[in-house]
């Protein structure tokens, strides 16, 4: 049903599409190429002769039965230099959905082709490939828009390539096997044939670029955090089985496809260094300003370079051309993706495609460079160019000369550089990258000389080069203490690949300097990567960390190994300043029963700065690992102290701990707390009594009509764990009272875990009447638990005298709603969104405010058609967004838990249900798990809205993330 509204699709006339463009002030756009010269471009890349290579696919999203491979690599040329292409040459045409193309600088090209990276050669210069070589094979092909794609040269002469989340790659290379399950960025050295993983993660990374100083930035075509700063060994969201990841620089921003950095003199100076990325769903080209921030960067969204209202304008790649203009690959299609729309949907455009050219008004275009006839020294002088592509092409051209001659020329060229020139340090860095590009392995003296540069960006880039060349530990010892944090970041990352205990000793020295998010991640990653080397040294007392307990504490917390916990316990016992919240957390995760004793006095002391963390660690140890302190006396004293603290959160925690630790002597206090007027207290007391197995006590309270209904709810919830049938019968009685929404949600959430409780409740509802509100809320909870087909749904409807809340969405209603949404008021819709009964803010976040059960909606309007929004609100289970499916987990005691996984590690899974209630499930208690076909969003949430209010709500959602 998604994109169902796209019946009025504009004709495929480029002039109609161009009329929809709104270009930033001071710029023009013209059509550079269109069908029949090209069709369905997926990537574009200029070669050294100024020709545009295009990978294109009419086949996407899938090859038809009996269809022969026919996707192409096309070369476009503007022979008369009038600003439009006038010749198209099919270089190769036996491909299936090629994801990327990269000219090799010698008339051939590298191509990402399904499971392979191939090289195509034109041996007779007729613009036709007559030789094909498979360089690598084994890249995953599970999803056609996640396969290997987006090829780009790095400043060091290596090829960088992307793959998406739904891919499992297993490549055999001459340097050994390479495995990458999930998204990531690859690097490939064409000289040594070495393939390596550069970074991991992102749902579908679909753009990578290197700035003037060699720093890496990526975009995610299926994420929502804008630009990502990437460096070797970095990890981002959606990387499978990773414990930690880095976030993007623009949380809540749209999905982006392709990325380019403005350089050269054609664009105004204020645009230099800005990044352009395609918001292909909202038909825009975004502009971002990137600024340095400690070891990383910040990214600020500015006014778009180009906006369009044309539904088929799909910018998927972007590149600066040899004339200084920006070229945009327009896939041209009203239908995007293949997960929401049928593969054979007739509205899919499989014929057209465009290349648009954006130029700055009243600013001269650049004269394309001549590389083919240039000498070595002339090519080296091109390394001084302002344009990124000129310097890149010059380095590529130098590969065709004898390396020894190039190396000798570089030595002479560097000596003649003007030291007073503002770009002197950058010129020297380009010379270093040229040495990498020609695959020369000279003396490291030149690189080490660059480490003395006054520019930290040069020192950072050089650190990475020395890492590639395998420099000594002594060099990185200096670099990890460099005055600038980005140099230290590069050094720490490099040390993580040097397999020796001393590498960690050196890396930990970075803690002697100010830390930030990227540095902390890099050091954590290095400590984990090298634990096989430094942990044995620690056990043999040969690890030399000097008099720096904070260094040891960081390393120990990074690896979380139980046999190494003693130093952390010593820090806690001595109240050392190195003991912080993370120290407490690690002890809670891996500590023994004796280790828990160390946490007791901290937890019991309300004045201790880590008291709250100690209480939480004790709770998690008991819940996740069934670990209780070995000192029973101190355990009782701690619980008593917490119960008398007067702090509700601590008192509630004490009730839970008393039950988890089986402190029978505190049972009277729990019974008293069960009668508390504070919901948090009687819920916690009920849980404590359930852990003690006090079935009769809980049943008495749950069944007593003289007890306040909310206290009975708490008792019944806990009773469900011990006696599901009793709980079901008690629930039928409790539901007859007027209850608060959260009480009904909590009660039903507890009952849905136990199928027997639901069966008994169904039987007990016969002949009873319950308030309509209770019935509606209870029905929603049952529906989202995956039990929507159970007789209980009918029993609740009958007892509450309610009509089925599922809404119909046929073609006619959709059309009526679409018309109403066009007249909707986004301002009024924002107020509708905030209504408590809709629970939108509980599950979804907008600009950092709200829950995280469902997708972030900050940019939903830029990434989802209006009919998709309507369908999601009325029939939420029809299409569940990637990454937000509900998990159904059955434990060994046959309990069934349903919810969104908000955290998972090797020991525990934490679920959150529709009522925002979290449940911790130790993994060793799980029998099996599966994905639910039912959304956590109930189908009837918007049923109570008037048509006007519903239209306003959709109008508001459709406005989110749109920059126009």
């Amino acid at each position: 049903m998604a994109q169902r509204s796209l019946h009025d699709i504009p004709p495929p006339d480029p002039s109609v599409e161009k009329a929809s463009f709104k270009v930033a002030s001071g710029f023009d756009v013209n059509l550079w190429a269109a069908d029949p010269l090209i069709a369905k471009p997926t990537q574009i890349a200029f070669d050294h002769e100024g020709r545009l290579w295009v990978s294109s696919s009419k086949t996407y999203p899938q090859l038809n039965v009996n269809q022969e491979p026919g996707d192409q690599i096309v070369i476009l040329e503007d022979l008369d230099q009038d600003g439009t292409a006038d010749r198209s040459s099919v270089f190769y045409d036996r491909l299936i959905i090629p994801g990327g193309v990269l000219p090799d600088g010698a008339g051939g090209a590298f191509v990402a082709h399904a499971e392979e990276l191939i090289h195509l050669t034109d041996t007779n210069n007729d613009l036709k490939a007559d030789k094909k070589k498979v360089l690598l094979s084994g890249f995953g092909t599970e999803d056609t828009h996640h396969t290997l794609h987006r090829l780009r040269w790095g400043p060091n002469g290596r090829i960088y390539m992307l793959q998406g989340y739904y891919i499992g790659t297993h490549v055999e290379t001459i340097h050994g096997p390479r495995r990458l399950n999930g998204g990531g960025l690859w690097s490939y050295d064409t000289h040594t044939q070495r393939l390596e993983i550069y970074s991991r993660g992102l749902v579908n990374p679909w753009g990578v670029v290197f700035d003037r100083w060699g720093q890496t930035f990526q975009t995610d075509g299926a994420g929502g955090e804008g630009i990502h700063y990437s460096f070797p060994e970095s990890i981002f969201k959606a990387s499978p089985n990773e414990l930690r990841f880095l976030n993007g620089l623009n949380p809540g921003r749209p999905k982006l496809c392709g990325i380019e950095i403005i350089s050269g003199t054609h664009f105004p100076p204020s645009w230099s260094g800005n990044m352009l990325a395609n918001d292909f769903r909202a038909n825009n080209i975004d502009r971002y300003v990137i600024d340095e921030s400690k070891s990383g960067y910040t990214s600020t969204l500015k006014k778009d370079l180009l906006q369009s209202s044309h539904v088929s304008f799909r910018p998927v790649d972007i590149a600066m051309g040899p004339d200084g203009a920006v070229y945009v690959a327009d896939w041209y299609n009203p239908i995007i993706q293949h997960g929401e729309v049928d593969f054979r949907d007739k509205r899919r455009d499989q014929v057209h495609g465009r290349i648009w050219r954006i130029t700055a008004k009243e600013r001269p275009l650049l004269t394309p460079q001549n590389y083919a006839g240039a000498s070595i020294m002339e090519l080296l002088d091109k390394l001084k160019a302002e344009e990124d592509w000129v310097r890149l092409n010059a380095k590529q051209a130098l590969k065709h000369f004898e390396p020894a001659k190039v190396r000798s020329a570089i030595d002479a060229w560097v000596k003649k550089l003007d030291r007073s020139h503002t770009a002197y340090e950058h010129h020297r860095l380009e010379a270093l990258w040229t040495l990498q590009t020609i695959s020369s392995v000279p003396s490291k003296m030149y690189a080490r000389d660059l480490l003395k540069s006054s520019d930290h960006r040069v020192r950072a880039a050089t650190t990475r080069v020395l890492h590639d060349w395998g420099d000594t530990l002594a060099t990185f010892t200096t670099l990890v203490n460099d005055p600038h944090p980005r140099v230290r970041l590069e050094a720490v990352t490099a040390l993580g690949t040097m397999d020796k205990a001393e590498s960690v000793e050196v890396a930990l020295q970075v803690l002697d300097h100010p830390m930030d998010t990227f540095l902390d991640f890099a050091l954590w990653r290095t400590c984990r990567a090298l634990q096989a080397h430094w942990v044995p040294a620690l056990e043999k007392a040969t690890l030399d960390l000097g008099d720096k307990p904070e260094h040891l504490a960081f390393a120990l917390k990074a690896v979380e190994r139980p046999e190494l916990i003693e130093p952390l316990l010593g820090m806690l016992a001595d109240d050392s300043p190195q003991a912080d919240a993370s120290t407490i957390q690690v002890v809670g995760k891996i500590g023994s029963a004796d280790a828990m004793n160390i946490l007791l006095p901290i937890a019991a002391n309300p004045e201790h700065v880590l008291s709250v963390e100690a209480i939480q660690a004790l709770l998690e140890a008991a819940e996740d690992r069934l670990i209780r302190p070995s000192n029973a006396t101190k355990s009782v004293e701690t619980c008593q102290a917490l119960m008398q603290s007067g702090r509700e959160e601590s008192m509630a925690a004490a009730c839970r701990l008393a039950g988890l630790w089986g402190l029978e002597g505190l049972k009277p206090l729990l019974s008293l707390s069960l009668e508390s007027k504070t919901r948090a207290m009687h819920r916690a007391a009920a849980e404590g009594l359930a852990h003690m197995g006090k079935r009769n006590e809980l049943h008495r309270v749950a069944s007593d009509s003289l007890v306040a209904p909310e206290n009975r709810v708490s008792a019944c919830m806990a009773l469900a764990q011990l006696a599901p049938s009793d709980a079901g019968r008690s629930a039928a009685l409790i539901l007859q009272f007027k209850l608060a929404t959260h009480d009904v949600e909590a009660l039903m959430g507890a009952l849905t875990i136990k199928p027997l409780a639901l069966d008994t409740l169904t039987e007990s509802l016969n002949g009873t009447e319950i308030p309509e509100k209770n019935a509606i809320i209870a029905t929603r909870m049952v529906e989202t638990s995956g039990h929507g087909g159970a007789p209980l749904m009918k029993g609740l409807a009958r007892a509450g005298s309610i009509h089925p809340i599922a809404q119909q969405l046929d073609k006619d209603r959709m059309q009526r709603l679409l018309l109403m949404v066009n007249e909707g008021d986004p301002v009024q819709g924002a107020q509708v969104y905030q209504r408590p009964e809709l629970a939108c803010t509980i599950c979804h976040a907008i600009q950092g405010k709200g829950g995280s059960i469902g997708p972030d909606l900050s940019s939903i309007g830029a990434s989802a058609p209006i009919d998709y929004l309507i369908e999601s609100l009325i029939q939420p289970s029809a299409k569940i967004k990637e990454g937000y499916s509900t998990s159904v987990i059955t434990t060994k005691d046959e309990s069934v838990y349903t919810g969104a996984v908000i955290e998972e590690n090797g020991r525990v899974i934490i679920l959150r249900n529709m009522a925002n209630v979290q449940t911790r499930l130790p993994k060793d208690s799980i029998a099996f798990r599966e994905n639910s076909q039912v959304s956590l969003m109930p189908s009837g949430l918007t049923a109570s809205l008037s048509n006007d209010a519903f239209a306003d709500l959709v109008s508001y959602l459709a406005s989110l993330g749109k920059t126009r």
Side-chain angles (χ1 to χ4, degrees), residues 316-334:
V316 295
D317 200 12
I318 188 165
M320 295 208 74
D323 57 356
V326 164
Y327 291 75
V328 180
D330 177 6
W331 186 47
Y332 195 85
N333 211 318

Side-chain angles (χ1 to χ4, degrees), residues 729-748:
R729 284 186 284 270
S730 296
L733 299 174
I734 297 170
L735 286 171
Q736 295 177 36
F737 292 85
K738 290 184 177 181
L739 301 173
T741 297
H742 42 72
D743 282 330
V744 180
E745 290 176 340
L747 175 61
M748 296 306 300

Side-chain angles (χ1 to χ4, degrees), residues 24 28 120 158 253 361 411 468 511 548 587 684 731 734 838 921:
D28 275 327
L120 300 174
R158 294 177 181 172
R253 283 307 306 157
K361 295 180 180 177
D411 292 339
D468 291 340
L511 293 170
K548 300 282 185 169
V587 172
I734 297 170
L838 296 185
L921 296 174

Side-chain angles (χ1 to χ4, degrees), residues 435-737:
L435 291 172
Q436 277 193 296
T437 300
I438 65 174
S439 193
S440 177
V441 186
S443 166
K444 300 185 180 72
M445 293 301 295
Y446 176 65
R448 289 174 181 168
D449 185 53
L450 288 185
L451 295 179
K452 303 172 186 177
S453 171
S454 60
D455 194 318
H456 66 272
R457 297 167 297 186
V458 173
R459 300 197 305 275
T462 305
T463 302
R464 189 178 299 181
V465 173
L466 287 173
H467 164 224
D468 291 340
W469 283 347
D471 209 345
T472 66
L473 191 63
T475 298
F476 293 108
T477 302
T478 301
L479 294 170
V480 84
N481 291 287
D482 188 271
H484 199 277
R486 189 165 310 116
V487 182
R488 301 198 294 269
L489 174 69
E490 294 285 353
V492 168
T493 299
L495 287 162
T497 62
M498 300 178 70
D499 294 339
K500 56 182 70 176
E502 292 83 358
S503 300
V504 166
E505 296 173 356
V506 173
L508 288 167
Q509 293 178 24
V510 78
L511 293 170
D512 298 336
H513 308 276
M515 297 289 285
D516 62 21
T517 299
F518 295 109
L519 272 169
D520 190 87
F521 176 90
L523 183 58
W524 172 84
R525 178 81 169 165
T526 289
C527 289
R528 293 185 65 85
L530 298 181
Q531 59 183 302
H533 303 280
W534 68 264
V535 169
L538 175 65
E539 293 171 335
K540 296 175 182 176
T542 59
L543 189 69
D544 183 10
L545 298 179
D547 188 20
K548 300 282 185 169
E550 66 273 20
H551 291 195
L552 177 60
F554 188 100
L556 293 174
K557 288 181 285 189
V559 298
E560 297 182 3
R561 292 176 59 160
E563 71 272 23
L564 305 177
I565 201 172
E566 288 302 323
L568 297 180
L569 296 177
M571 293 175 189
L572 290 171
D574 296 340
D575 206 16
S576 167
Q578 280 74 48
D580 57 11
S582 61
T583 310
I584 297 279
Q585 292 168 0
V586 170
V587 172
K589 286 180 179 180
I590 64 176
S592 64
D594 290 339
M596 296 302 113
N597 295 335
I598 303 294
L599 300 182
L600 292 176
I602 300 175
N605 180 6
E607 303 300 322
H608 199 291
V609 68
L610 297 177
S611 176
V612 173
E613 287 79 4
I615 294 170
Q616 184 62 33
L618 289 167
L619 276 169
E620 292 183 8
E623 292 174 347
D624 299 350
R625 300 186 294 123
L626 304 180
I627 297 293
R628 66 182 70 178
S630 59
N631 191 326
T633 301
K634 289 293 183 182
S635 298
V636 172
E637 292 175 356
T638 297
C639 283
Q640 289 176 329
L642 292 174
M643 287 181 174
Q644 296 167 3
S645 67
R647 297 182 300 174
E648 182 177 284
E649 185 176 346
S650 297
M651 295 166 66
C655 291
R656 291 188 173 91
L657 287 172
L660 288 164
W661 292 345
L663 305 179
E664 289 284 345
L666 297 182
K667 188 262 182 186
L669 287 176
L670 295 184
S671 297
L672 184 63
S673 298
L674 187 56
E675 300 174 9
S676 170
K677 294 182 179 180
T678 304
R679 181 174 282 104
M681 282 300 296
H682 58 70
R683 290 270 167 88
E687 288 183 30
L689 290 168
H691 286 300
M692 287 185 180
K694 305 303 179 183
R695 168 181 176 177
N696 293 337
E697 176 78 3
L698 293 169
H699 188 259
R700 178 188 64 78
V701 175
S703 305
D704 191 342
S705 60
L706 299 179
V707 174
E710 57 267 27
N711 294 66
R712 295 178 65 187
V713 166
S714 295
C716 190
M717 290 170 58
L719 181 62
Q721 295 298 318
L722 300 176
S725 294
D726 291 346
R729 284 186 284 270
S730 296
L733 299 174
I734 297 170
L735 286 171
Q736 295 177 36
F737 292 85

Side-chain angles (χ1 to χ4, degrees), residues 860-907:
I860 189 68
S863 61
I866 291 177
D867 58 343
Y868 184 73
L869 295 175
I870 292 173
E871 180 182 28
S872 297
L873 290 169
I874 294 177
Q875 296 177 337
S877 294
K879 293 289 183 183
I880 300 176
K881 183 175 174 56
E882 294 176 354
Y884 288 92
S885 59
T886 303
S887 290
V888 180
I889 296 178
T890 303
T891 56
K892 294 174 183 177
D893 66 356
E894 299 185 353
S895 298
V896 182
Y897 296 84
T898 304
V901 176
I902 62 171
E903 184 178 334
E904 179 176 359
N905 55 45
R907 295 175 295 275

